[in-house]
Amino acid sequence: MTIPNPAFSTRCCPYGAEALREAALLIRAGEPVAVPTETVYGLAADATDSGAVAAIYSAKGRPSYNPLIVHVSDREMAERLAEFSPLASRIADAFWPGPLTLVLPVRPDSGLSPLVTAGLPTVALRLPAHPAMRALIRESGRPLAAPSANRSGSISPTRAEHVLSSLNGKIRMILDEGPTSEGVESTIAAPDDNQIRLLRPGSITADMLEQASGRSVVAVTNVDGTKVEAPGQLESHYAPSKPVRLNAMRAEKDEYLIGFGLMPCHINLSADADIREAAANLFAALHIADASAEARIAVAPIPIEGIGAAINDRLRRAAA
Ligand code: TXA
Ligand code: MG
C-alpha cells in the first residue's frame, strides 16, 4: 500500500539568514535538516539527542544503526567530544576545516548520543569548510550528526534537487546552497600511535596525509569491503538502480555512457580530463544516468591519481 500523502511537505529554502534561523530551530526541536557541506549534502541532527539521531535513520530508511560522522564548527567543540593525540592535532591543524573526518577516542563526558557511535569507543569527527554547515552548527549550538542526505544505499546528493527527489516527504527542510564543490564524501582517517589508517578515500589523499604528518598511511578499505572496522563500510553504497559497467571505452546497446576526457559519450565528467572536476560531477552524472532511458550505465576508466582513488572507490561500490 502506498501512503497517499507524504508525512511532511519538504521545503527547499535558499540558504540565507532567515532559512538558517528556521533550520536551527528545527535542529533544536530534534528534527533532521538537509544542509550542504563541501562534499555532499548531509542530513543533520543534534548529535546529543538520541531521538533526533533516530529520526535521521528513519528518514533515510537505514536498516541498521551504523555510526555517523559528527560535525563541529571549531576545534574547541571537537576537543570537548574526543581525545586528540599530538598526531591527531597535527592532522587537524593541516586539513581542518575541510573534507577530512578523524576517528578518535570518544571522551566519556562527550554528551553524544550512543546511537551516533553505535557503541564504538571512537567517534568520527569532521570540521567542514562549508559556510552553511558551519553556520548551522553555530546557530543551533550543537554538534551535528550527518550522513549523506539520501535514502539508504542510493546515490549521494551533491545538489538540493537530489535530496528532494530522495527524501521528499521524509524531512521538513533542505537548505539549498547550490552544487557542492568536492563531490565525494570526506576522507576518513584514524590516527594511531605510529601510523594513520585510511578508512575511506576522499579528496584529502593518502599522500597528503603522509606529507603533513610524516607517518605512513595504511589503506584498510578494499574492493570487496573486507577488513572494515565500522559496519557502514560494508554496505553497497552509492548504488544506482541500474547495472553499472566500469572501464568502458564505448557505449554498448542500451548503455548510457559516462565519459572522461575527450571521447564520445552521453555525459562527460570532465572533457578536459580534470580529475577534481570529475569528482565534483560524479554523483550528478550517476543521478542523470540512472534517470535516463537507457537500461544500463557504463563508465569510462578514471585515473587513480589524487582524488581519482576516491572516484574509483565509489564507482566500484556503485557497480557491486
Ligand atoms: O563527506 C562526508 O563525510 C558526508 C558529509 C555529510 O559530511 N558524511 C558522510 O557520512 O559520508 P556517512 O554517515 O554516510 O558516512 C559515515 C562513515 C561510515 O562509513 C561509517 O562506517 C564511518 O563513517 N564511521 C563513523 N563512525 C566511525 C567510527 N567510530 N569508526 C570507524 N568508522 C566510522
Ligand atoms: Mg552515505
Side-chain angles (χ1 to χ4, degrees), residues 34-313:
V35 55
T37 78
E38 67 274 38
T39 58
V40 299
Y41 275 69
L43 185 58
D46 182 351
T48 66
D49 174 347
S50 290
V53 178
I56 295 178
Y57 287 110
S58 97
K60 280 182 66 81
R62 199 142 157 172
S64 59
Y65 284 32
N66 297 321
L68 300 176
I69 295 172
V70 175
H71 300 69
V72 294
S73 53
D74 52 58
R75 270 295 267 288
E76 214 182 304
M77 190 184 258
E79 290 179 15
R80 284 201 297 271
L81 303 177
E83 313 278 1
F84 279 70
S85 66
L87 175 58
S89 296
R90 200 178 322 152
I91 304 170
D93 288 345
F95 299 109
W96 277 3
L100 176 70
T101 297
L102 292 176
V103 173
L104 303 171
V106 64
R107 286 177 60 132
D109 59 348
S110 69
L112 291 171
S113 159
L115 290 182
V116 164
T117 51
L120 294 169
T122 51
V123 60
L125 284 188
R126 169 151 124 79
L127 174 42
H130 198 291
M133 179 54 124
R134 295 182 71 179
L136 185 59
I137 301 165
R138 275 197 305 270
E139 184 91 9
S140 61
R142 303 284 202 279
L144 298 181
S148 53
N150 55 283
R151 295 286 289 173
S152 183
S154 64
I155 307 164
S156 291
T158 53
R159 292 161 188 261
E161 307 89 271
H162 299 156
V163 181
L164 191 62
S165 67
S166 193
L167 295 177
N168 193 12
K170 307 282 181 199
I171 58 174
R172 291 189 191 275
M173 186 176 185
I174 303 168
L175 280 179
D176 182 356
E177 221 271 309
T180 63
S181 62
E182 302 297 310
V184 294
E185 297 85 350
S186 61
T187 303
I188 305 181
D192 290 343
D193 293 340
N194 282 309
Q195 62 175 24
I196 298 166
R197 282 170 306 120
L198 184 68
L199 305 179
R200 179 172 72 185
S203 61
I204 307 295
T205 63
D207 280 354
M208 290 161 74
L209 287 166
E210 257 170 21
Q211 293 229 329
S213 67
R215 305 295 169 89
S216 55
V217 175
V218 193
V220 296
T221 50
N222 59 23
V223 185
D224 59 11
T226 53
K227 279 174 78 184
V228 293
E229 67 179 46
Q233 292 168 283
L234 279 171
E235 276 177 276
S236 148
H237 266 96
Y238 323 105
S241 62
K242 298 173 180 176
V244 178
R245 182 169 70 93
L246 303 181
N247 299 315
M249 299 305 296
R250 48 185 288 264
E252 286 173 7
K253 193 172 165 297
D254 299 337
E255 277 183 344
Y256 187 95
L257 179 59
I258 299 176
F260 177 79
L262 268 188
M263 62 185 283
C265 55
H266 294 89
I267 192 168
N268 206 314
L269 294 177
S270 171
D272 298 333
D274 173 339
I275 199 78
R276 298 197 64 89
E277 182 184 20
N281 289 332
L282 176 68
F283 290 140
L286 284 171
H287 279 281
I288 291 166
D290 213 21
S292 75
E294 306 299 337
R296 293 173 297 134
I297 301 170
V299 189
I302 312 292
I304 57 161
E305 297 97 72
I307 197 174
I311 298 175
N312 280 283
D313 170 78

